[in-house]
Amino acid sequence: MAAQGKPVLHGYFRSSCSWRVRIAFALKGIEYDQVPVSLVKDGGQQLTDQYKTVNPMQQVPAVTIDGITLSQSLAIIQYIDETRPGPRLLPADPQQRAQVRMISDLIASGIQPLQNLHVIQKIGAEKVQWAQHFINKGFNALESILKQTSGTYCVGNEISMADICLVPQVYNAERFKVDLDQYPTIKRINQTLMELEAFKVSHPTCQPDTPDDLRA
Amino acid sequence: MAAQGKPVLHGYFRSSCSWRVRIAFALKGIEYDQVPVSLVKDGGQQLTDQYKTVNPMQQVPAVTIDGITLSQSLAIIQYIDETRPGPRLLPADPQQRAQVRMISDLIASGIQPLQNLHVIQKIGAEKVQWAQHFINKGFNALESILKQTSGTYCVGNEISMADICLVPQVYNAERFKVDLDQYPTIKRINQTLMELEAFKVSHPTCQPDTPDDLRA
C-alpha cells in the first residue's frame, strides 16, 4: 500500500460517534487530522453537497484513510484495528469478540440512533423524555449484560471496542440527565475508563472545534 | 469445544433482524432450531421475564450457540462466520471488509432501529411517514454508496453480510410502501439475491411461526 499520509477524521466535537473514533485512534497511537463538521452551524454543515460526497448519509464521523473514505464508526474502528499495530480493540477469542460486538451494537444500534440530533429534532417538545426512555431501556439491558461479561472493563480485563462505545454513550446519558446511579456496573467501568489518557485526550471538551465556553 | 447440539434461534418470522440471522445460517448450511417469540401476541412475548433472561434488551433475535447466548444480529452473524466453515460472509480484504461493515451498519444502525416496531408504536399516527422518512434517508445514501462498491452484490461479486442486511431492509421498505424505483441499484441487487435459495428458505413467509394467511 502506498503511503497515504495521515488519516483525516471528519467529525464534530460533541458527536458521540466521532468520539468513538477519536478514542480508537488514541488507543492505537495513530496521528490524524481533524476536519470539523458542525452539526449546528449554518443549519448543519453535514447537509452540504460537499459533505454529501464524503458521507452520503450526511452524518459524522467519516474517515479518509489508505485512499478510501469510510463512514459508520464501528466499521472505521474495526478497519483501524485490522490494519494497524498497537493494542487490539477486539479480543482474539471468538466468543469474547462476539460479546464485544454485541455490547457495541447494543449501544450503536439500540441506543445512539434513537437519541441522535436528527431524531431528537423531529421529536420536538418531548425530546428529553424520548431520549431518556431509550437510554434507560438500553442501559437496563447493558447493566444486566455487563454483570456477566465485565472484569475491569466491559468484556474481561482488556479494553475493547465495547468500552469505546460505552464512554461516549454515558456522556450522552449525562447530557440528557439520566440517573446513572441505577447502573452501578456502567458507572464503575465508565469511571475507570475516564482515568485513561486515550479517553481524556479524545473528550468533547478538548477538540479543535470545541467552543471556548465548553472547554475543560 | 464440547459438542453443544444445534444452535437455537429465538426469533420472529417478520423481524428483519431475525431474518438476517436465518440467511446467515442458510448460507453457511448450518442446521438450527427456532423458538418463536411473537412480538405481537400476549402484548409482546419478548417482554416476558423469561425472555429477558435470554436477551435483556427484550428484542429478537437471540441465538444460543456453543454454550453462550448472543443478541444483536451482526454480532451473531460475525460469530457464525468466524467459527463455522462454509462460504465467508465477510471478505478477506480489509478494505472490502470495512465496506461490508459500513453498509451493514448503515442499515443496522442508520435505518432499522428507527422503523422497528417499538419505535413506530411510540410515534403513533405519524408512523408511516416517520418510517418512510428514515428508510428514504438511508436508501438515498445506500444507493450512492452501492454505486461505488457493488458488483453483482453489495460489495463486489461475493455475497456478504451487507447483502444479508439489504434484503430484509428492502422487505421492510416494501411494507412501508417506499417507492423502490428511486433506488435502481438497491432494487437490482435485491432481485438478484432473492433468486438464491438461502434468501428464499429464510423468508418471513415460510417460517415455523408464519401465520397461515401470510404464507407464500
Side-chain angles (χ1 to χ4, degrees), chain B residues 135-191:
Chain B
I135 295 171
N136 278 314
K137 183 172 182 291
F139 274 15
N140 265 305
L142 186 56
E143 178 71 17
S144 172
I145 289 170
L146 290 176
K147 279 187 180 135
Q148 297 186 36
T149 62
S150 68
T152 307
Y153 303 115
C154 285
V155 177
N157 296 314
E158 302 292 334
I159 294 172
S160 73
M161 184 165 72
D163 302 294
I164 292 175
C165 293
L166 182 75
V167 166
Q169 186 58 59
V170 169
Y171 170 81
N172 281 354
E174 287 171 335
R175 288 183 64 202
F176 286 113
K177 307 201 185 309
V178 169
D179 175 16
L180 287 174
D181 288 336
Q182 302 171 85
Y183 312 110
T185 314
I186 291 174
K187 196 174 166 179
R188 169 183 64 77
I189 297 170
N190 183 67
Q191 282 174 344

Side-chain angles (χ1 to χ4, degrees), chain A residues 56-57 66 68 71-72 75 78-79 82 94-95 97 101-102 105-106 108-109 113-114 118-119 133-134 141 144, chain B residues 56-57 66 68 71-72 74-75 78-79 82 94-95 97 101-102 105-106 108-109 113-114 118-119 133-134 141 144:
Chain A
M57 197 63 173
D66 301 337
I68 59 170
S71 54
Q72 300 296 333
Q78 288 175 88
Y79 179 75
E82 292 178 356
Q95 294 206 342
R97 290 167 75 80
R101 290 198 180 108
M102 172 174 69
D105 285 346
L106 189 157
S109 296
L114 292 157
H118 177 70
V119 170
H133 169 81
F134 285 104
S144 172
Chain B
M57 198 62 173
D66 302 337
I68 59 170
S71 53
Q72 300 296 332
L74 302 191
Q78 288 176 89
Y79 179 74
E82 292 179 356
Q95 293 205 344
R97 290 167 74 81
R101 290 197 180 109
M102 173 175 67
D105 286 346
L106 188 157
S109 297
L114 293 157
H118 177 70
V119 170
H133 169 81
F134 285 104
S144 172

Side-chain angles (χ1 to χ4, degrees), chain A residues 100-118:
Chain A
V100 165
R101 290 198 180 108
M102 172 174 69
I103 292 166
S104 302
D105 285 346
L106 189 157
I107 295 169
S109 296
I111 306 177
Q112 193 281 333
L114 292 157
Q115 49 89 83
N116 79 10
L117 186 63
H118 177 70

Side-chain angles (χ1 to χ4, degrees), chain A:
Chain A
M1 206 180 307
Q4 304 275 0
K6 281 191 275 186
V8 176
L9 168 63
H10 304 261
Y12 181 53
F13 75 102
R14 205 172 221 176
S15 144
S16 64
C17 302
S18 301
W19 190 6
R20 291 178 197 155
V21 175
R22 296 194 302 259
I23 298 168
F25 278 135
L27 286 168
K28 286 284 199 184
I30 298 168
E31 290 196 19
Y32 61 102
D33 289 322
Q34 295 203 42
V35 175
V37 181
S38 172
L39 303 186
V40 296
K41 273 186 213 159
D42 312 327
Q45 293 172 344
Q46 80 281 14
L47 303 176
T48 61
D49 286 344
Q50 193 206 338
Y51 187 69
K52 204 174 177 178
T53 65
V54 175
N55 181 5
M57 197 63 173
Q58 300 177 287
Q59 294 174 337
V60 288
V63 169
T64 304
I65 184 168
D66 301 337
I68 59 170
T69 300
L70 294 171
S71 54
Q72 300 296 333
S73 59
L74 302 191
I76 295 166
I77 292 166
Q78 288 175 88
Y79 179 75
I80 293 169
D81 197 35
E82 292 178 356
T83 60
R84 299 305 195 265
R88 50 187 315 154
L89 305 179
L90 279 88
D93 174 71
Q95 294 206 342
Q96 285 200 319
R97 290 167 75 80
Q99 288 173 328
V100 165
R101 290 198 180 108
M102 172 174 69
I103 292 166
S104 302
D105 285 346
L106 189 157
I107 295 169
S109 296
I111 306 177
Q112 193 281 333
L114 292 157
Q115 49 89 83
N116 79 10
L117 186 63
H118 177 70
V119 170
I120 288 300
Q121 282 170 340
K122 275 184 79 75
I123 293 297
E126 304 279 313
K127 66 183 183 183
V128 174
Q129 296 99 301
W130 173 277
Q132 287 180 345
H133 169 81
F134 285 104
I135 295 171
N136 278 314
K137 183 172 180 294
F139 275 15
N140 264 304
L142 186 57
E143 178 70 19
S144 172
I145 289 169
L146 290 175
K147 280 189 180 134
Q148 296 184 38
T149 61
S150 69
T152 307
Y153 303 114
C154 284
V155 176
N157 296 316
E158 302 291 334
I159 294 173
S160 72
M161 183 166 71
D163 302 295
I164 291 174
C165 293
L166 182 75
V167 166
Q169 186 56 59
V170 169
Y171 170 80
N172 281 354
E174 287 171 337
R175 287 182 65 201
F176 286 113
K177 306 202 185 306
V178 168
D179 175 16
L180 287 174
D181 288 336
Q182 302 171 84
Y183 312 111
T185 313
I186 291 174
K187 195 174 167 179
R188 168 184 63 78
I189 297 170
N190 182 69
Q191 282 174 343
T192 304
L193 289 163
M194 277 311 305
E195 296 296 312
L196 304 174
E197 192 64 13
F199 290 79
K200 284 182 187 168
V201 296
S202 57
H203 195 277
T205 52
C206 56
Q207 299 312 304
D209 57 332
T210 308
D212 285 344
D213 57 326
L214 296 174
R215 289 200 166 266

